[in-house]
Amino acid sequence: MLSPPGAGKGTHSRWLTEQTGAAHISSGDLLRAEIERGSDLGKQVGAYIARGDLVPDELILDILMSAVIVAVRDTGGYVLDGFPRTMAQALRAAELAAELSLTSNAVIYLTAPEEELVSRLLDRAQREGRVDDTLGVIRHRLAVFAKETAPLIDYYRGRGILLELSTDRPEADVHADLRDWLNARGLLPPEPAPLGIPPRAGSDEPISASRNEARWRSHSC
Ligand code: AMP
């Protein structure tokens, strides 16, 4: 999930994990949990986050790869929310994925007008009080996105796995487009068969959702 702050990557990542059963891995949540725990890593990253700067690549890669390995073991797939955020991270992630025989199937690029992003983040500040949701830091995070992360859009578009989606409209419309696009690529599990559906002709075996699910579970987003 690739998006500027405020475009809805947390919300839509969670929806996607509900639809697929894949694990949700948010790099920001992982880092905030380290700060909360007062770990060494938390102490190293706290100031970067408060300023709205990206934390150094080597600090994020370790924590993220551990989460990916657990997700693959437990659910067979994952939605990465907030990673990669630099070209160096994307290239390193591609190398590590190749070593682990993992495939990136989809990169969802969420967009909304800048003033809408700012307004959503200021609203979130009222509800959650995040240290980096102040006007000055929000503007800085948007500038960091434009400089460090936006180049990934063309990189993934060139790999043919990018979907660009405006979130400046009702959530149901965003989800409908996302569902259609993922379905067309076989990235969503089949809808569960209604109860009472008869077995296929010539087979004693009832239709099995779990067998169909095995196919998409080898994918990750
Ligand atoms: P988020 O929760 O995705 O908005 O991320 C909050 C903050 O965590 C960012 O502003 C960065 O300081 C840090 N962060 C999250 N993901 C990354 C990443 N992939 N690379 C570097 N810093 C990150």
Side-chain angles (χ1 to χ4, degrees):
M1 197 65 75
L2 179 67
S3 95
K9 62 186 162 50
T11 305
H12 296 295
S13 293
R14 278 187 289 277
W15 179 83
L16 200 47
T17 60
E18 281 160 20
Q19 301 299 305
T20 60
H24 177 204
I25 302 177
S26 156
S27 50
D29 284 352
L30 290 173
L31 293 170
R32 282 184 288 275
E34 293 294 324
I35 295 173
E36 188 95 345
R37 280 180 31 216
S39 67
D40 284 348
L41 176 61
K43 287 183 186 122
Q44 290 179 72
V45 301
Y48 291 96
I49 293 185
R51 285 197 305 270
D53 283 326
L54 297 182
V55 312
D57 291 341
E58 60 277 13
L59 296 182
I60 192 80
L61 272 160
D62 275 359
I63 186 173
L64 211 73
M65 283 316 292
S66 312
V68 163
I69 287 165
V70 170
V72 170
R73 188 196 63 202
D74 291 352
T75 71
Y78 48 88
V79 177
L80 286 181
D81 162 356
F83 179 91
R85 252 164 151 120
T86 64
M87 191 55 85
Q89 288 178 11
L91 296 176
R92 186 70 190 120
E95 279 172 14
L96 290 168
E99 282 168 27
L100 296 167
S101 303
L102 300 173
T103 316
S104 297
N105 298 113
V107 175
I108 317 298
Y109 168 41
L110 303 177
T111 66
E114 178 152 334
E115 286 319 304
E116 172 65 19
L117 299 176
V118 173
S119 145
R120 288 182 191 172
L121 292 169
L122 290 175
D123 280 352
R124 185 172 71 184
Q126 306 282 329
R127 293 192 310 275
E128 298 178 19
R130 250 175 71 165
V131 63
D132 53 349
D133 280 344
T134 60
L135 187 56
V137 177
I138 290 169
R139 295 264 182 227
H140 181 61
R141 286 160 64 206
L142 288 167
V144 169
F145 176 84
K147 180 163 181 275
E148 303 286 350
T149 311
L152 301 186
I153 298 161
D154 278 345
Y155 169 69
Y156 287 117
R157 189 177 277 127
R159 287 178 51 181
I161 55 173
L162 189 93
L163 170 67
E164 181 168 340
L165 270 186
S166 164
T167 62
D168 193 22
R169 58 202 174 120
E171 214 166 279
D173 294 354
V174 178
H175 290 164
D177 284 355
L178 189 48
R179 185 192 294 282
D180 286 351
W181 191 85
L182 292 169
N183 260 331
R185 284 158 184 78
L187 293 172
L188 284 182
E191 298 283 336
L195 287 176
I197 209 167
R200 283 169 301 156
S203 162
D204 293 339
E205 192 192 346
I207 291 173
S208 151
S210 60
R211 203 190 44 195
N212 288 340
E213 280 166 11
R215 190 177 59 79
W216 72 265
R217 277 187 176 278
S218 66
H219 294 287
S220 57
C221 290

